[in-house]
Amino acid sequence: MQARIMDILKKNQLSVTESRKKILELFQDNPGALAHHDIELKTGEKFDRVTIYRTLQTFVEKGILHTIPSADNSIRYALCKDECTEGHHHDNHVHFICDKCETTYCLEAITVPEVKLPKGFVPNQIEVVVNGKCRNCVK
Amino acid sequence: MQARIMDILKKNQLSVTESRKKILELFQDNPGALAHHDIELKTGEKFDRVTIYRTLQTFVEKGILHTIPSADNSIRYALCKDECTEGHHHDNHVHFICDKCETTYCLEAITVPEVKLPKGFVPNQIEVVVNGKCRNCVK
DNA sequence: GTAACTGCAAAATATTTGCATCCTT
DNA sequence: AAGGATGCAAATATTTTGCAGTTAC
C-alpha cells in the first residue's frame, strides 16, 4: 500500500511528504470520493487547510485525482485510474451519489452512454452523475 | 413577456417584486444558464447580493429554476420547463458547457440516456453534463 | 394592516496569496 | 545546497443570519 503511494508520487515527480502520503492514503482506503472538508476531518486537522487546498490542486493537475461535479457547492475528488496522465483525464465512468449516506461512488464498470448532440456541438468530456440510494441504503 | 413572468410568480404564490421580475427576465432573455455571479453583473449590481441568494433559492424550491452541477464550484441555474412543480423537478435533459465561451446550454431535445447501474443501486435522478465546443465556438 | 420581501450589518465560512521556514532530494 | 513544500498571517471572496424598514396585496 505504502509502496503504491510512493510510486504514484514518484511517477509524477512530486516529493514525498507527510501530507501527500496521508491524503493519498485516505483516498485509497475510501471507497468513494472525498470533498475538501471530509479530508480536513479525516486527517484529524493535522494539516493546514492551505496545504490541503494545494495538495488537491496538485493531484488534479497531475492526473492523480479527478473532480466530480455536484450541485451543492462542494467539489468531490476521487482517484483516477492509471490511464490518466498530466493534463489528460480519462475518467469516463459514471458517478453515483447516495441521497442518504452521501457516499460518492465511482462506478468504474459502467461506461458513460453515448449522447447524441445537436448539430454544431462537439463533445470533449461527458459527466454522468446519478443520485439515488446506494446498495447499503436500500434496505 | 412581462405577462409570462407575472404568471410564473403568481402561479407559485410569490409576490411580484422588482428583483424577482428582473431576475426571471434575465433567465428568459438568456439562452443558457447563469451563476450567482453572472446575475450580479447582469443586473448591474442593482440588487443586494443577499436578495439574489434568496431569490435563487426560492425559485429552486418552487421549481422555477433548476441547478446544474459543475466541477468548478459555481452552481449555475436555468429555467425549468412547465412540468416542474414545487419539490419535484423533471429536468432530465442534457446540459452542455462550452469550454470556450463558458455558455451553458440546456439541451431540452436530448433526453438522458439509460444508465445501467450495478445491483443494489437505485437511481433517483441522472445528471448528464457535457463539456466541449458549442456551435458558436466550433469555427 | 399584515405578511412577505428587501437591504444593511455582521457573522461564519471558504479560498487565495505572500512569505519565512522547513523538508526532500 | 537548492528547490520545493508547508504553515502562518492576512487578504479576498462567498454564503448565511438577524433585524429593521419597506413593499405587495
Side-chain angles (χ1 to χ4, degrees):
Chain A
M1 243 342 163
Q2 282 296 69
R4 173 133 173 65
I5 287 175
M6 305 265 292
D7 280 356
I8 294 176
L9 291 175
K10 285 191 175 148
K11 189 162 59 181
N12 287 284
Q13 297 146 52
L14 295 171
S15 28
V16 179
T17 65
E18 272 309 297
S19 57
R20 286 175 179 168
K21 276 192 292 183
K22 183 72 186 179
I23 290 176
L24 262 189
E25 201 181 310
L26 262 188
F27 278 101
Q28 292 208 331
D29 292 351
N30 236 71
L34 299 170
H36 177 101
H37 185 247
D38 300 323
I39 295 168
E40 265 184 72
L41 294 182
K42 301 221 179 202
T43 52
E45 280 145 3
K46 197 176 152 198
F47 303 106
D48 195 273
R49 184 187 286 271
V50 175
T51 300
I52 297 176
Y53 278 114
R54 291 196 269 228
T55 304
L56 290 174
Q57 187 181 302
T58 303
F59 285 175
V60 171
E61 279 165 9
K62 292 292 187 179
I64 298 169
L65 296 179
H66 64 269
T67 57
I68 301 168
S70 81
D72 71 345
N73 254 351
S74 74
I75 294 181
R76 292 138 194 271
Y77 300 82
L79 277 181
C80 286
K81 292 284 120 185
D82 302 327
E83 313 92 56
C84 287
T85 54
E86 185 162 355
H88 199 176
H89 289 275
H90 297 266
D91 58 317
N92 69 333
H93 55 270
V94 173
H95 292 110
F96 187 97
I97 304 179
C98 182
D99 291 333
K100 197 139 189 188
C101 68
E102 292 272 291
T103 303
T104 302
Y105 299 84
C106 292
L107 303 178
E108 307 282 356
I110 316 288
T111 49
V112 171
E114 275 290 311
V115 177
K116 286 221 179 56
L117 297 174
K119 204 149 59 162
F121 288 85
V122 179
N124 178 22
Q125 214 205 351
I126 301 184
E127 280 287 351
V128 177
V129 182
V130 182
N131 279 272
K133 294 256 179 68
C134 78
R135 72 191 144 206
N136 294 325
C137 292
V138 167
K139 89 279 86 235
Chain B
M1 243 340 164
Q2 281 297 69
R4 175 134 173 64
I5 287 176
M6 304 266 290
D7 279 354
I8 294 175
L9 291 175
K10 286 190 176 151
K11 189 161 59 182
N12 287 283
Q13 297 147 52
L14 295 172
S15 28
V16 179
T17 64
E18 272 310 298
S19 57
R20 288 178 179 167
K21 277 193 292 184
K22 184 71 186 182
I23 290 175
L24 262 190
E25 201 181 310
L26 262 187
F27 278 101
Q28 291 209 330
D29 293 351
N30 238 71
L34 300 169
H36 177 101
H37 185 247
D38 299 324
I39 295 167
E40 266 185 69
L41 295 181
K42 300 221 179 201
T43 51
E45 281 146 4
K46 197 175 152 199
F47 304 106
D48 195 273
R49 185 188 283 272
V50 176
T51 300
I52 297 175
Y53 278 112
R54 292 197 269 227
T55 304
L56 290 174
Q57 188 181 303
T58 302
F59 284 175
V60 171
E61 280 166 8
K62 291 291 187 178
I64 299 169
L65 296 179
H66 62 270
T67 57
I68 301 168
S70 82
D72 70 346
N73 252 352
S74 74
I75 295 181
R76 292 138 195 268
Y77 300 83
L79 277 181
C80 286
K81 291 285 119 184
D82 302 327
E83 313 92 55
C84 288
T85 54
E86 184 162 1
H88 197 179
H89 288 274
H90 297 265
D91 58 318
N92 70 331
H93 54 271
V94 173
H95 292 110
F96 187 97
I97 303 178
C98 182
D99 291 332
K100 198 139 189 189
C101 67
E102 291 272 290
T103 303
T104 301
Y105 300 84
C106 292
L107 304 178
E108 307 282 356
I110 316 289
T111 49
V112 170
E114 274 290 308
V115 177
K116 285 220 178 59
L117 296 174
K119 204 152 54 165
F121 288 86
V122 178
N124 177 22
Q125 214 206 350
I126 302 184
E127 280 286 350
V128 178
V129 182
V130 183
N131 278 271
K133 294 255 179 67
C134 78
R135 71 190 146 205
N136 295 324
C137 294
V138 168
K139 87 275 103 227

